[in-house]
Amino acid sequence: MSTQPLSDKSSNELNRMLKRLMRRQGVAVDEVPSLEGWNNFVLAVDQTIKEFSTNRELLEQSVKSTSLKLYQAYEDLKHESSLRLAQANLHQQELENLVQERTTELRNAQLHLEKINKRLEYEATHDELTGLANRNQLMRELNRCVVQLGTDADFGLCFFFIDFDRFKQINDRFGHLIGDKVLIHVTNHLSALISNTICFARLGGDEFVILMEKLEESEAIKLAQRINDTFTHPIQIHDTEIPISASVGIVLADMSYQSADEVVRDADIAMYRAKTTGNCYQLFDEEMRAEHLEEIELEGELEIAVREQQFRIKFEPIVDIKESTIFSIESLVRWTHPKKGIIPPDRFIPLAEELGLIIDIDRIVFAKACKQFRQWREHGIISPNQKFNVNLSCSQLQRSDIVPFLLRIVDMSDISPDDVVLEITESYLLADSELVMRNLNEINKLGFSIFVDDFGTGYSSLSYLAKYPIHGIKIDRSFVRDLEESTESKELIRSIIASRP
């Protein structure tokens, strides 16, 4: 085996190592060792080499074991990390899905809320039955227009207030379901007549309004006439014909108006003037407002009049032409105002009906008439067979206490139901309510006579006279006044006489 000489650096390093080893074994470095010393030295070197080898093996095993453990730990950590990462990714996906679901739910909830808000806003501004604008929407539009009136001299408004006559009787006779259908028909008819409106609204009940930009007076009147002409023929609901008519109040508004309420107020005044005068439509003027203020004042005074019983009775004879005798004595109410004097019935009776005071007035008049009738009989002023007539409002017939009231008053007055003729208005019979029918039948059975007053001013139908216990009718003067010229009036009166039992 060939050897190569060591380099000086390696030789020196080996020498130092040998010297250190020899010192550890007690061998003097500068002395030549003995054989035993060499043996011991060699044995020590051999032992050291063995220990070194053993330590090296142990170290290698330890390093190998540690490496395996570290590798296993690394693999475990890598597996755990992969698992955690997969779980994190799954959790993140779940969170993203949940966020997406919640976002979708929130979007749907927002859309639903928007629909609800739109529905609520629609319901707040529209009439549920007809789909027209309601009072809230009308007043919003009208207020906006009134503001424009004050800033734009060329801008103007035409406001129509429409009320349908005797609509309550339609509800009473045919029921509210038919009444609602009538209102829908009315809405459709009015919609066909108008265009370019700012607002077409139903205020409630049978009250409708049309808000338009400025119209000339003649144009406004033409439209009102068209509205009235539309309802000259009955409305057909299924197999039933329902007569209906309209009263229209018109306001041509200018910059003098300061609020929407003023416009509605004046149109309402004009509408009631049309209703009371029978002109079908009425254009508002300042005189109406003054009269309206008087009407408001009269309302308060009428309440006081009822409370203080400021009513007296005017008596007029009803003559039997055939026998040339007084058949009965009619009792007519008059209001004696403490400052204004006598106020005629056509001035305060409609107001009393509107305010619900007519029942109290009826009962005051009935009690006074019964008392006066008894006094006349006691003093021999009237014959024993004499009767007296007294008006009975529809409101009385629609009360369950009317029969006990009538009996109590005649008993207190010591007269008989046979002495009394109760007059009811023709149009009230059209209500055709069960309570009215029951009350009339019971009143008839007790001995009271029942007359129909102002016959011919309503629907002029003879068909219901056989249905109700009617003992007589008082024909309205409109038929008698033109009796010679009117063939229709002659025929109607001839039919009335022929239908008499």
Side-chain angles (χ1 to χ4, degrees), residues 1-14:
M1 177 181 298
S2 64
T3 60
Q4 296 179 355
L6 297 172
S7 66
D8 292 339
K9 185 177 179 180
S10 300
S11 177
N12 291 334
E13 183 66 29
L14 182 60

Side-chain angles (χ1 to χ4, degrees), residues 175-455:
H176 287 275
L177 183 60
I178 295 296
D180 287 347
K181 292 183 178 180
V182 170
L183 291 175
I184 294 173
H185 275 260
V186 163
T187 301
N188 295 335
H189 286 312
L190 290 175
S191 297
L193 291 177
I194 57 178
S195 61
N196 300 324
T197 60
I198 299 174
C199 186
F200 177 27
R202 178 191 176 209
L203 297 188
D206 58 335
E207 295 179 339
F208 294 79
V209 298
I210 303 171
L211 174 61
M212 307 177 71
E213 291 190 5
K214 185 177 181 180
L215 291 178
E216 296 297 329
E217 180 177 326
S218 59
E219 295 175 324
I221 291 175
K222 284 181 181 179
L223 179 54
Q225 289 173 334
R226 290 173 61 197
I227 292 172
N228 281 288
D229 292 344
T230 300
F231 300 105
T232 55
H233 301 291
I235 291 177
Q236 187 80 26
I237 304 294
H238 303 309
D239 296 330
T240 304
E241 287 190 348
I242 301 176
I244 192 169
S245 59
S247 296
V248 184
I250 310 169
V251 168
L252 301 179
D254 54 26
M255 61 188 306
S256 64
Y257 283 92
Q258 302 298 313
S259 71
D261 289 331
E262 292 179 0
V263 179
V264 176
R265 175 201 64 198
D266 289 350
D268 187 46
I269 292 172
M271 182 274 294
Y272 272 105
R273 171 63 67 86
K275 188 181 290 289
T276 55
T277 58
N279 290 336
C280 299
Y281 65 86
Q282 193 76 44
L283 188 66
F284 176 80
D285 58 37
E286 294 297 328
E287 183 181 348
M288 291 183 194
R289 184 180 297 158
E291 292 177 358
H292 177 68
L293 294 176
E294 292 179 4
E295 194 83 5
I296 293 176
E297 181 181 2
L298 197 64
E299 288 180 6
E301 293 172 341
L302 183 58
E303 291 178 353
I304 296 174
V306 171
R307 189 164 58 248
E308 297 179 355
Q309 297 195 13
Q310 299 173 359
F311 301 98
R312 67 180 183 83
I313 303 174
K314 178 182 178 182
F315 296 97
E316 292 183 353
I318 300 176
V319 178
D320 186 335
I321 299 177
K322 185 177 181 180
E323 300 294 336
S324 298
T325 59
I326 296 177
F327 165 76
S328 181
I329 300 174
E330 185 170 8
S331 309
L332 303 174
V333 62
R334 296 293 183 268
W335 176 12
T336 307
H337 192 283
K339 295 182 179 179
K340 299 177 181 178
I342 301 297
I343 298 178
D346 58 355
R347 183 79 175 88
F348 71 87
I349 291 297
L351 184 61
E353 291 176 342
E354 183 180 343
L355 297 176
L357 298 174
I358 191 64
I359 292 176
D360 294 324
I361 295 175
D362 267 5
R363 298 193 173 190
I364 291 171
V365 171
F366 186 73
K368 286 187 174 184
C370 289
K371 182 179 179 181
Q372 183 63 66
F373 187 79
R374 183 196 62 194
Q375 291 175 353
W376 282 344
R377 179 168 286 176
E378 287 177 349
H379 291 84
I381 297 175
I382 57 176
S383 65
N385 296 327
Q386 197 80 67
K387 295 179 180 289
F388 76 96
N389 290 34
V390 64
N391 289 309
L392 192 66
S393 69
C394 180
S395 300
Q396 297 277 26
L397 291 174
Q398 292 174 332
R399 292 178 61 95
S400 59
D401 64 344
I402 177 60
V403 174
F405 165 76
L406 295 174
L407 288 177
R408 184 174 71 255
I409 297 300
V410 295
D411 287 344
M412 289 174 55
S413 304
D414 194 24
I415 62 176
S416 168
D418 294 331
D419 299 325
V420 183
V421 177
L422 299 173
E423 295 186 9
I424 59 177
T425 304
E426 171 199 1
S427 59
Y428 292 154
L429 294 178
L430 296 174
D432 198 23
S433 74
E434 183 179 346
L435 181 58
V436 170
M437 174 68 81
R438 186 168 61 248
N439 281 335
L440 286 175
N441 285 330
E442 190 169 351
I443 289 171
N444 175 56
K445 290 178 182 178
L446 290 171
F448 293 96
S449 297
I450 302 171
F451 274 38
V452 177
D453 192 16
D454 297 332
F455 182 82

